[in-house]
Amino acid sequence: MCAISSAARKREQAANPSQGGASPARPRMVRAQAGSGPAAGAQLSCVDLGDSARLALIIAPTGRGAFCQQAQEALSALRTVLDQQPEPMTVTVQTVFLKDIRDQPECERLFAGFFGPELPTTNYVSQPPCCGAALVIETWAIGGKSVRIEHFGPHALSVAYDGVRWTYCAGVQPAPTVEGVYRQTLDVLEQSRAALARAGSGFEHVVRTWFYLGGITAPEADARRYQELNRARTDFYRDIRFRCSSRDAGAAPGVYPASTGIGMAGRGLTMSCVALDTQRADVLLLPLENPRQIPAYAYDAKYSPQSPKFSRAVALRLGDCVTTWVSGTASIVNSETIHPEGAEKQTEQTIDNIEQLIAAGNFTRHGLEGAGAGLRDLAKIRVYLKRPEYLETCKAICERRFGPVPAVYAVADICRPELLVEIEGVAFSRHCAPTPRSKVD
């Protein structure tokens, strides 16, 4: 369904030949390309889902005029890309990275005029784009004859197709009267639970969360603000058994969503999440841990009195399609920060960690042989940098290792003061069932 040129397909095939003699390379689900002409500021990748397709777009204005001009340029590029697709596509969820959060009201006004009643769920995050633009927009769009989209107020939207139903919650912030990170975190979690319920889902079906926390490493209540978030998350999750359908009501405890907890300017908190409901029999929800790292939820109390309750990644197999949400990942081995001296080595180590996490060998280790992904199976990434001056070095490394994947580079504090880089993403790959071994007489 996506408009990917034949030349791009040939380049992709040449770059990914069959591996070895007996086992051909898995067919790629993700195809990336850069925008051109009026969409020169757009990076996009198409995910082939058969009867439907997803489009990941990251759009940065090339001009540096007033905020209104930059936002209008970005929206014009978005319209150009959507119009180039062979079938209609609808934007479902977006995150807007703002240089100055005071521009949010103007951004909301422009988006309301652009999208009308089809306004997607939206996060506004006070993380200045490293490129110097006033904003960068990350969007997901979907198209297909069986796709059905429903809106449930400003913070929730559902997308249903092929026997599955996704619910997106975005832009959830604590009530103005709620003070302190612990109570604010409980408030946004309760609001998200209520929004999911209105949409016909439940928090036990959440597979991915994001927490954007101002002053993430600053002190609060004899701890750091991120540690207070972890305390609230632990309390909220205590009686939840996460699963993606009612078929697995006996899901084991200790299965947590993939997650990112990242800093932003100011002292606010914004949360978003994704939930999945399905009755399909060919579904498997698989939390993934990295063999080089201690699970975050098992960290020693010196890092956080209540450990961060998330999985390093969560993989979802639907038929032969595997979606892998990679949590915010940093330069950590076991539980220790590695290479505190520089962003270059931290970036390499972070990508090494992601590569190991989503590799076929790690899926086999977790009991799903025949699954796995490479770095170029990621549909998009976010790269959070503690300082904008790290951009040139980190971008060069990411482009060398991830290839032309759409990427956002934003300025944000990481959850530990000595960490300089954090990367997250989502990969799509095919599950190739292993061939039964013949018996030897």
Side-chain angles (χ1 to χ4, degrees):
M1 285 183 59
C2 280
I4 303 291
S5 70
S6 60
R9 291 178 186 273
K10 291 177 181 177
R11 287 194 298 270
E12 191 271 334
Q13 290 168 357
N16 295 275
S18 295
Q19 303 296 315
S23 116
R26 293 183 181 87
R28 292 285 300 278
M29 294 184 65
V30 178
R31 301 187 186 278
Q33 70 179 71
S36 60
Q43 309 166 64
L44 61 146
S45 61
C46 178
V47 183
D48 179 11
L49 300 173
D51 291 338
S52 60
R54 286 187 179 270
L55 196 64
L57 287 132
I58 293 174
I59 303 173
T62 57
R64 292 295 180 266
F67 177 84
C68 183
Q69 294 173 312
Q70 293 191 45
Q72 288 176 334
E73 179 193 333
L75 289 172
S76 177
L78 173 59
R79 172 54 57 204
T80 297
V81 171
L82 294 176
D83 287 346
Q84 288 173 345
Q85 304 311 307
E87 293 189 36
M89 303 197 82
T90 301
V91 176
T92 54
V93 62
Q94 61 184 3
T95 298
V96 184
F97 300 84
L98 291 170
K99 183 177 182 179
D100 188 337
I101 198 65
R102 292 174 296 182
D103 289 322
Q104 180 176 334
E106 176 70 1
C107 200
E108 291 175 341
R109 183 187 69 80
L110 292 169
F111 282 10
F114 181 83
F115 290 106
E118 295 185 346
L119 183 69
T121 56
T122 304
N123 293 302
Y124 294 94
V125 182
S126 185
Q127 293 177 340
C130 291
C131 63
L135 77 165
V136 167
I137 305 172
E138 175 198 273
T139 70
W140 284 96
I142 190 168
K145 293 180 180 179
S146 68
V147 173
R148 298 292 180 267
I149 297 172
E150 291 183 86
H151 294 260
F152 299 90
H155 298 301
L157 174 152
S158 71
V159 179
Y161 62 91
D162 200 20
V164 296
R165 186 172 182 269
W166 303 89
T167 304
Y168 300 93
C169 289
V172 180
Q173 297 180 328
T177 56
V178 178
E179 297 183 353
V181 173
Y182 177 81
R183 294 187 180 277
Q184 289 175 340
T185 303
L186 289 178
D187 188 61
V188 296
L189 286 164
E190 287 289 0
Q191 286 189 56
S192 298
R193 193 207 305 261
L196 289 167
R198 287 192 296 271
S201 185
F203 209 94
E204 67 274 15
H205 297 157
V206 168
V207 295
R208 182 64 161 97
T209 63
W210 289 263
F211 297 90
Y212 307 95
L213 179 63
I216 191 169
T217 60
E220 182 169 313
D222 298 324
R224 290 202 303 269
R225 285 167 62 81
Y226 181 60
Q227 294 172 339
E228 285 293 277
L229 185 151
N230 288 331
R231 184 164 70 95
R233 176 166 51 182
T234 297
D235 288 347
F236 187 83
Y237 284 4
R238 183 163 285 116
D239 297 322
I240 298 176
R241 288 175 178 261
F242 288 98
R243 58 186 188 274
C244 66
S245 74
S246 59
R247 306 179 67 89
D248 53 355
V255 175
Y256 298 112
S259 189
T260 296
I262 194 70
M264 65 176 180
R267 304 285 284 191
L269 171 63
T270 298
M271 181 188 167
S272 63
C273 64
V274 181
L276 174 68
D277 294 84
T278 183
Q279 292 295 317
R280 283 176 51 165
D282 57 349
V283 171
L284 175 67
L285 189 66
L286 183 69
L288 295 173
E289 296 300 326
N290 193 323
R292 296 178 179 175
Q293 296 178 307
I294 294 171
Y297 54 78
Y299 273 176
D300 188 273
K302 71 178 181 179
Y303 297 106
S304 184
Q306 293 292 339
S307 59
K309 300 302 189 291
F310 68 90
S311 298
R312 298 290 182 189
V314 167
L316 176 75
R317 188 196 67 193
L318 281 167
D320 69 344
C321 173
V322 180
T323 304
T324 307
W325 291 274
V326 177
S327 295
T329 304
S331 181
I332 294 172
V333 173
N334 294 320
S335 59
E336 301 291 334
T337 299
I338 302 299
H339 310 303
E341 68 278 4
E344 180 177 359
K345 289 184 177 180
Q346 284 198 22
T347 303
E348 294 280 12
Q349 182 63 59
T350 298
I351 299 173
D352 286 347
N353 287 346
I354 293 173
E355 188 171 41
Q356 175 91 13
L357 180 65
I358 65 177
N362 199 38
F363 273 83
T364 299
R365 190 177 294 111
H366 285 79
L368 187 58
E369 189 176 354
L375 295 177
R376 301 197 178 206
D377 290 312
L378 287 147
K380 60 94 182 174
I381 59 171
R382 294 183 188 175
V383 183
Y384 303 104
L385 302 177
K386 189 168 184 176
R387 303 189 189 284
E389 54 264 33
Y390 302 150
L391 174 62
E392 184 176 347
T393 296
C394 295
K395 187 177 181 181
I397 295 169
C398 288
E399 289 179 345
R400 169 171 54 83
R401 298 197 61 182
F402 290 109
V405 61
V408 174
Y409 296 86
V411 179
D413 281 337
I414 319 300
C415 62
R416 297 184 188 179
E418 71 275 14
L419 288 173
L420 310 176
V421 181
E422 182 167 316
I423 301 175
E424 63 167 83
V426 56
F428 295 85
S429 56
R430 296 289 182 194
H431 178 225
C432 300
T435 303
R437 294 180 180 178
S438 58
K439 296 182 178 180
V440 179
D441 294 333

